[in-house]
Short mmCIF file of all heavy atoms in Angstrom, two decimals:
data_model
loop_
_atom_site.label_atom_id
_atom_site.label_comp_id
_atom_site.label_asym_id
_atom_site.label_seq_id
_atom_site.Cartn_x
_atom_site.Cartn_y
_atom_site.Cartn_z
N GLN Y 38 -5.58 -16.86 10.14
CA GLN Y 38 -5.50 -16.01 11.35
C GLN Y 38 -4.63 -14.77 10.98
O GLN Y 38 -3.57 -14.93 10.41
CB GLN Y 38 -4.87 -16.70 12.50
CG GLN Y 38 -5.63 -17.90 13.05
CD GLN Y 38 -4.79 -18.58 14.17
OE1 GLN Y 38 -3.97 -19.45 13.83
NE2 GLN Y 38 -5.04 -18.16 15.40
N THR Y 39 -5.07 -13.61 11.45
CA THR Y 39 -4.32 -12.41 11.23
C THR Y 39 -3.44 -12.09 12.42
O THR Y 39 -3.78 -12.42 13.57
CB THR Y 39 -5.19 -11.17 10.88
OG1 THR Y 39 -6.05 -10.97 11.97
CG2 THR Y 39 -5.97 -11.39 9.61
N GLU Y 40 -2.34 -11.38 12.23
CA GLU Y 40 -1.47 -10.90 13.23
C GLU Y 40 -1.07 -11.87 14.23
O GLU Y 40 -1.12 -11.71 15.46
CB GLU Y 40 -2.13 -9.66 13.92
CG GLU Y 40 -2.41 -8.48 13.02
CD GLU Y 40 -1.13 -7.82 12.46
OE1 GLU Y 40 -0.15 -7.74 13.21
OE2 GLU Y 40 -1.18 -7.40 11.31
N VAL Y 41 -0.51 -13.05 13.73
CA VAL Y 41 -0.10 -14.12 14.62
C VAL Y 41 1.29 -13.79 15.09
O VAL Y 41 2.26 -13.61 14.30
CB VAL Y 41 -0.10 -15.50 13.88
CG1 VAL Y 41 0.46 -16.58 14.75
CG2 VAL Y 41 -1.45 -15.78 13.42
N LYS Y 42 1.49 -13.63 16.44
CA LYS Y 42 2.69 -13.34 17.04
C LYS Y 42 3.61 -14.50 17.20
O LYS Y 42 3.22 -15.55 17.69
CB LYS Y 42 2.50 -12.65 18.40
CG LYS Y 42 3.73 -12.02 19.03
CD LYS Y 42 3.38 -11.32 20.30
CE LYS Y 42 4.63 -10.74 20.97
NZ LYS Y 42 4.25 -10.03 22.23
N LEU Y 43 4.87 -14.38 16.83
CA LEU Y 43 5.86 -15.45 16.90
C LEU Y 43 6.73 -15.19 18.17
O LEU Y 43 6.71 -14.14 18.79
CB LEU Y 43 6.80 -15.46 15.67
CG LEU Y 43 6.05 -15.71 14.36
CD1 LEU Y 43 6.97 -15.63 13.17
CD2 LEU Y 43 5.37 -17.16 14.39
N ILE Y 44 7.56 -16.15 18.55
CA ILE Y 44 8.30 -16.09 19.72
C ILE Y 44 9.36 -14.98 19.70
O ILE Y 44 9.80 -14.54 20.72
CB ILE Y 44 8.98 -17.45 20.12
CG1 ILE Y 44 9.92 -17.91 18.96
CG2 ILE Y 44 7.93 -18.50 20.41
CD1 ILE Y 44 10.73 -19.14 19.35
N ASP Y 45 9.69 -14.54 18.52
CA ASP Y 45 10.71 -13.42 18.35
C ASP Y 45 10.05 -12.15 18.30
O ASP Y 45 10.64 -11.06 17.88
CB ASP Y 45 11.59 -13.69 17.18
CG ASP Y 45 10.91 -13.58 15.88
OD1 ASP Y 45 9.65 -13.54 15.82
OD2 ASP Y 45 11.55 -13.55 14.83
N ASP Y 46 8.77 -12.03 18.63
CA ASP Y 46 7.91 -10.80 18.66
C ASP Y 46 7.64 -10.27 17.28
O ASP Y 46 7.12 -9.13 17.16
CB ASP Y 46 8.58 -9.69 19.52
CG ASP Y 46 8.40 -10.08 20.97
OD1 ASP Y 46 7.47 -10.77 21.37
OD2 ASP Y 46 9.28 -9.58 21.72
N THR Y 47 7.88 -10.98 16.22
CA THR Y 47 7.45 -10.57 14.88
C THR Y 47 6.01 -11.05 14.68
O THR Y 47 5.56 -11.94 15.44
CB THR Y 47 8.34 -11.10 13.74
OG1 THR Y 47 8.39 -12.54 13.86
CG2 THR Y 47 9.79 -10.52 13.83
N ARG Y 48 5.30 -10.51 13.79
CA ARG Y 48 3.90 -10.89 13.54
C ARG Y 48 3.66 -11.28 12.10
O ARG Y 48 4.04 -10.51 11.15
CB ARG Y 48 2.97 -9.71 13.91
CG ARG Y 48 2.94 -9.38 15.39
CD ARG Y 48 1.90 -8.34 15.68
NE ARG Y 48 1.89 -7.91 17.07
CZ ARG Y 48 1.22 -8.53 18.00
NH1 ARG Y 48 0.39 -9.54 17.76
NH2 ARG Y 48 1.28 -8.09 19.26
N ILE Y 49 3.03 -12.37 11.91
CA ILE Y 49 2.67 -12.84 10.57
C ILE Y 49 1.37 -12.14 10.22
O ILE Y 49 0.40 -12.14 10.98
CB ILE Y 49 2.45 -14.36 10.56
CG1 ILE Y 49 3.77 -15.05 11.02
CG2 ILE Y 49 2.02 -14.79 9.18
CD1 ILE Y 49 3.62 -16.54 11.20
N ASP Y 50 1.31 -11.57 8.99
CA ASP Y 50 0.11 -10.85 8.58
C ASP Y 50 -1.08 -11.87 8.48
O ASP Y 50 -2.22 -11.54 8.83
CB ASP Y 50 0.31 -10.17 7.32
CG ASP Y 50 1.21 -8.94 7.40
OD1 ASP Y 50 1.32 -8.41 8.55
OD2 ASP Y 50 1.83 -8.54 6.47
N CYS Y 51 -0.82 -13.02 7.90
CA CYS Y 51 -1.89 -14.02 7.84
C CYS Y 51 -1.29 -15.42 7.84
O CYS Y 51 -0.35 -15.73 7.11
CB CYS Y 51 -2.65 -13.84 6.55
SG CYS Y 51 -4.03 -15.04 6.34
N LEU Y 52 -1.75 -16.23 8.73
CA LEU Y 52 -1.33 -17.65 8.81
C LEU Y 52 -2.43 -18.57 8.47
O LEU Y 52 -3.53 -18.51 9.11
CB LEU Y 52 -0.76 -17.90 10.28
CG LEU Y 52 -0.16 -19.24 10.54
CD1 LEU Y 52 1.19 -19.41 9.80
CD2 LEU Y 52 0.10 -19.46 12.05
N THR Y 53 -2.20 -19.38 7.48
CA THR Y 53 -3.22 -20.34 7.06
C THR Y 53 -2.63 -21.76 7.40
O THR Y 53 -1.51 -21.87 7.91
CB THR Y 53 -3.48 -20.36 5.56
OG1 THR Y 53 -2.36 -20.76 4.84
CG2 THR Y 53 -3.90 -18.91 5.13
N LYS Y 54 -3.43 -22.79 7.08
CA LYS Y 54 -2.94 -24.15 7.44
C LYS Y 54 -1.66 -24.51 6.65
O LYS Y 54 -0.87 -25.26 7.13
CB LYS Y 54 -4.02 -25.21 7.05
CG LYS Y 54 -5.22 -25.14 8.01
CD LYS Y 54 -6.24 -26.16 7.65
CE LYS Y 54 -7.40 -26.11 8.60
NZ LYS Y 54 -8.47 -27.08 8.25
N THR Y 55 -1.49 -23.82 5.47
CA THR Y 55 -0.34 -24.28 4.64
C THR Y 55 0.68 -23.07 4.48
O THR Y 55 1.82 -23.37 4.08
CB THR Y 55 -0.85 -24.61 3.22
OG1 THR Y 55 -1.57 -23.50 2.65
CG2 THR Y 55 -1.75 -25.87 3.29
N HIS Y 56 0.34 -21.84 4.73
CA HIS Y 56 1.20 -20.66 4.40
C HIS Y 56 1.36 -19.70 5.55
O HIS Y 56 0.42 -19.42 6.26
CB HIS Y 56 0.70 -19.93 3.14
CG HIS Y 56 0.89 -20.62 1.94
ND1 HIS Y 56 0.12 -21.63 1.48
CD2 HIS Y 56 1.90 -20.55 0.97
CE1 HIS Y 56 0.49 -22.10 0.28
NE2 HIS Y 56 1.59 -21.45 -0.05
N ALA Y 57 2.52 -19.09 5.64
CA ALA Y 57 2.79 -17.94 6.45
C ALA Y 57 2.94 -16.81 5.45
O ALA Y 57 3.91 -16.74 4.67
CB ALA Y 57 4.09 -18.13 7.32
N ILE Y 58 2.09 -15.84 5.57
CA ILE Y 58 1.88 -14.88 4.48
C ILE Y 58 2.22 -13.47 4.96
O ILE Y 58 1.72 -12.97 5.95
CB ILE Y 58 0.48 -14.94 3.86
CG1 ILE Y 58 0.23 -16.34 3.38
CG2 ILE Y 58 0.32 -13.88 2.78
CD1 ILE Y 58 -1.17 -16.74 3.30
N GLU Y 59 3.03 -12.76 4.10
CA GLU Y 59 3.30 -11.31 4.32
C GLU Y 59 2.55 -10.47 3.33
O GLU Y 59 2.45 -10.81 2.11
CB GLU Y 59 4.84 -11.05 4.13
CG GLU Y 59 5.22 -9.61 4.09
CD GLU Y 59 4.92 -8.83 5.35
OE1 GLU Y 59 4.61 -9.42 6.43
OE2 GLU Y 59 5.03 -7.57 5.31
N PHE Y 60 1.86 -9.47 3.84
CA PHE Y 60 1.15 -8.50 2.94
C PHE Y 60 2.04 -7.24 2.83
O PHE Y 60 2.51 -6.79 3.86
CB PHE Y 60 -0.16 -8.06 3.58
CG PHE Y 60 -1.28 -9.04 3.35
CD1 PHE Y 60 -1.27 -10.25 3.92
CD2 PHE Y 60 -2.32 -8.74 2.51
CE1 PHE Y 60 -2.31 -11.16 3.74
CE2 PHE Y 60 -3.34 -9.66 2.28
CZ PHE Y 60 -3.32 -10.85 2.87
N ASP Y 61 2.16 -6.73 1.62
CA ASP Y 61 2.83 -5.44 1.47
C ASP Y 61 2.33 -4.70 0.22
O ASP Y 61 1.81 -5.36 -0.79
CB ASP Y 61 4.37 -5.61 1.28
CG ASP Y 61 5.09 -5.26 2.61
OD1 ASP Y 61 4.66 -4.26 3.31
OD2 ASP Y 61 6.01 -5.98 3.03
N PHE Y 62 2.42 -3.41 0.28
CA PHE Y 62 2.13 -2.65 -0.94
C PHE Y 62 3.25 -2.86 -1.97
O PHE Y 62 4.35 -3.20 -1.57
CB PHE Y 62 2.05 -1.14 -0.57
CG PHE Y 62 0.77 -0.80 0.20
CD1 PHE Y 62 0.83 -0.66 1.58
CD2 PHE Y 62 -0.43 -0.76 -0.41
CE1 PHE Y 62 -0.27 -0.35 2.35
CE2 PHE Y 62 -1.61 -0.48 0.28
CZ PHE Y 62 -1.48 -0.28 1.68
N ALA Y 63 2.94 -2.75 -3.14
CA ALA Y 63 3.82 -3.15 -4.27
C ALA Y 63 5.22 -2.55 -4.17
O ALA Y 63 6.21 -3.20 -4.40
CB ALA Y 63 3.22 -2.78 -5.63
N SER Y 64 5.32 -1.28 -3.76
CA SER Y 64 6.61 -0.69 -3.71
C SER Y 64 7.49 -1.26 -2.64
O SER Y 64 8.75 -1.05 -2.63
CB SER Y 64 6.53 0.86 -3.48
OG SER Y 64 5.90 1.07 -2.25
N LYS Y 65 6.95 -2.01 -1.66
CA LYS Y 65 7.76 -2.70 -0.63
C LYS Y 65 8.00 -4.13 -0.99
O LYS Y 65 8.18 -4.94 -0.05
CB LYS Y 65 7.04 -2.51 0.70
CG LYS Y 65 6.94 -1.03 1.16
CD LYS Y 65 6.13 -0.80 2.39
CE LYS Y 65 6.76 -1.57 3.57
NZ LYS Y 65 5.89 -1.41 4.77
N TRP Y 66 8.05 -4.46 -2.23
CA TRP Y 66 8.17 -5.84 -2.65
C TRP Y 66 9.38 -6.55 -2.08
O TRP Y 66 9.36 -7.73 -1.71
CB TRP Y 66 8.16 -5.88 -4.14
CG TRP Y 66 9.36 -5.26 -4.78
CD1 TRP Y 66 9.47 -3.91 -5.12
CD2 TRP Y 66 10.56 -5.85 -5.13
NE1 TRP Y 66 10.73 -3.60 -5.64
CE2 TRP Y 66 11.46 -4.82 -5.66
CE3 TRP Y 66 11.13 -7.13 -5.01
CZ2 TRP Y 66 12.69 -5.06 -6.11
CZ3 TRP Y 66 12.39 -7.38 -5.50
CH2 TRP Y 66 13.18 -6.38 -6.01
N ALA Y 67 10.51 -5.80 -1.97
CA ALA Y 67 11.78 -6.45 -1.55
C ALA Y 67 11.68 -6.87 -0.06
O ALA Y 67 12.17 -7.90 0.32
CB ALA Y 67 12.91 -5.53 -1.84
#
Side-chain angles (χ1 to χ4, degrees):
Q38 293 176 273
T39 60
E40 298 296 325
V41 176
K42 186 175 180 182
L43 298 175
I44 59 170
D45 66 351
D46 288 331
T47 57
R48 291 186 185 271
I49 301 171
D50 289 337
C51 182
L52 185 66
T53 68
K54 289 181 181 179
T55 58
H56 287 81
I58 301 154
E59 170 63 12
F60 279 69
D61 258 320
F62 290 100
S64 63
K65 294 174 63 183
W66 65 274

